[in-house]
Amino acid sequence: MSEQGTVTLLDKVRHRAASLSAILACMRIDVSSYIPGSSFVHTCDARVKIVLLAAFSATLFFVDTWVGLGLCAAVFAAVAVASGIRISRFFGMLVPVYVIAAFAVLFNGFSLDVSQVSGPVSSLGDVSAGVFAAWVPVPLVGSFGFVPAGFARGCFFAARIVLLVVGSLVVTYTTTSTQLTDALASFLRPLRRLRVPVDDIAMVFSLALRFIPVTAEEFGRVHDAQWARGAAFSEGGLWRRLRAWQTVLIPLFVGLFRRADVLAVAMDARCYGMSDDKRTSLARTRFSAKSAVAMVVGLVICIVLSVAF
């Protein structure tokens, strides 16, 4: 092989390696959900944050005007700034959410038969279309056309979806998995009188949270190993790519079942479930006055937005 041919081959290999590195970087899962901090949002009781998240989510569905939706976005922005976390961190990992939001705008903004669209469309929901409410549909190709009012309502639904997700990220970014588990156990504590295994449910929830980074790490390890062995994840037809991913998913599930079996043996060796005593906690959480004030203020804001807008 000539020197020029060798150089060309090396350039192709480098280009291919760079492309695969970019693909692998995009496929990596950001599992570092909790962001340490000392802000009031971080130190607030996890139970308060969960209650306010539920109230905020319900408020987004009660609000049906753009003004109300804008005020909900302002509330989120204020809490995000108070947490000390960059706003870009909330919107940087929402590609699947953006796809769902785009479909909401697409399916609401266009109609296969614009002649059947006249006035408000009940199937789009009872939300404000803003200045687009009085605009007439625009035929594009035959009966297919653009519906301005539907487009506005689709944008409303898309913004609602995004706010729902980023609102939940405020809780996950400022609350550890242990705090979330303890909060769940606290909410379920009254069910102990009905002999519901509250501690076991909290333990299962804690293990599920802890297995998320383990699953992501195992996925990356198996994927890299199969790629090093020449698996064609981005080459060939659909069937060939599916067969390539099969070499990742099968070892992944086998490895997860092995980890679960090891964990079960470890819990059994430590006599988990042998005692009828109540489960204790290393650090007992106390409901502070600041958390109570934050919950009252947050609930009042959500109620006002739900009723007034």
Side-chain angles (χ1 to χ4, degrees), residues 87-149:
I87 297 293
S88 59
R89 186 66 182 269
F90 292 96
F91 297 94
M93 300 295 294
L94 299 183
V95 175
V97 179
Y98 295 148
V99 173
I100 297 175
F103 274 110
V105 175
L106 179 65
F107 288 128
N108 285 285
F110 295 89
S111 175
L112 296 176
D113 190 0
V114 293
S115 62
Q116 300 296 326
V117 181
S118 58
V121 183
S122 59
S123 61
L124 296 178
D126 187 19
V127 298
S128 174
V131 297
F132 293 95
W135 291 27
V136 296
V138 180
L140 297 177
V141 179
S143 61
F144 177 79
F146 174 68
V147 184

Side-chain angles (χ1 to χ4, degrees), residues 38 43 91 110 126 138 147 154 179 206 211 216 240 247:
S38 58
T43 58
F91 297 94
F110 295 89
D126 187 19
V138 180
V147 184
Q179 292 172 343
S206 176
F211 259 77
R240 184 180 179 183
T247 62

